Amino acid sequence: MFLWGSAKWGQLGGSEAQTTGNDVKASLLPRQLIPPDSRGIVSVAAGDGHTLVATTDGDVLSFGRGREGQLGLGAIGPSADRSEPQLIHALGADHVVEVACGALHSLCRTE
């Protein structure tokens, strides 16, 4: 999976973004994001400032803007933003096969 563009909220999943001349964090060229434990990817979705990744083992990783709860990590407010992929533990043993995002919300489809 390759990502580029604005990284204002951490939605590119890493700290490799640069600060441009306008003090905007961005990745100006595509860069690869490899999920933790080298998991394969089956579905990717992007919201207004967050990203979801469904892995081959049925887990979902989320990162980026989370202040409205869209990361599924049980937190809201500015401290809920995450710049590194986070496992959504609340999905438990459900095997996710597809993810989708709205501007400030997220959803997934299970088997």
Side-chain angles (χ1 to χ4, degrees), residues 9-12 46-51 63-66 70-71 102-104:
W9 308 107
Q11 66 266 41
L12 299 184
D48 191 35
H50 71 294
T51 305
F63 44 98
R65 182 180 172 126
Q70 63 269 49
L71 296 184
L104 299 174

Side-chain angles (χ1 to χ4, degrees), residues 9 49-50 62-82 104:
W9 308 107
H50 71 294
S62 64
F63 44 98
R65 182 180 172 126
R67 50 191 70 196
E68 292 82 20
Q70 63 269 49
L71 296 184
L73 304 174
I76 60 172
S79 64
D81 297 346
R82 297 288 184 271
L104 299 174

Side-chain angles (χ1 to χ4, degrees), residues 85-99:
Q86 305 291 309
L87 178 64
I88 301 178
H89 294 284
L91 292 170
D94 289 320
H95 190 94
V96 173
V97 295
E98 187 176 14
V99 291

Side-chain angles (χ1 to χ4, degrees), residues 14-80:
S15 56
E16 297 178 23
Q18 307 170 24
T19 301
T20 66
N22 297 329
D23 291 330
V24 174
K25 287 185 75 170
S27 180
L28 303 179
L29 296 171
R31 67 173 189 76
Q32 189 171 18
L33 177 74
I34 300 171
D37 303 326
S38 298
R39 302 171 191 206
I41 298 169
V42 296
S43 180
V44 178
D48 191 35
H50 71 294
T51 305
L52 296 181
V53 176
T55 66
T56 51
D57 56 5
D59 288 332
V60 177
L61 305 171
S62 64
F63 44 98
R65 182 180 172 126
R67 50 191 70 196
E68 292 82 20
Q70 63 269 49
L71 296 184
L73 304 174
I76 60 172
S79 64

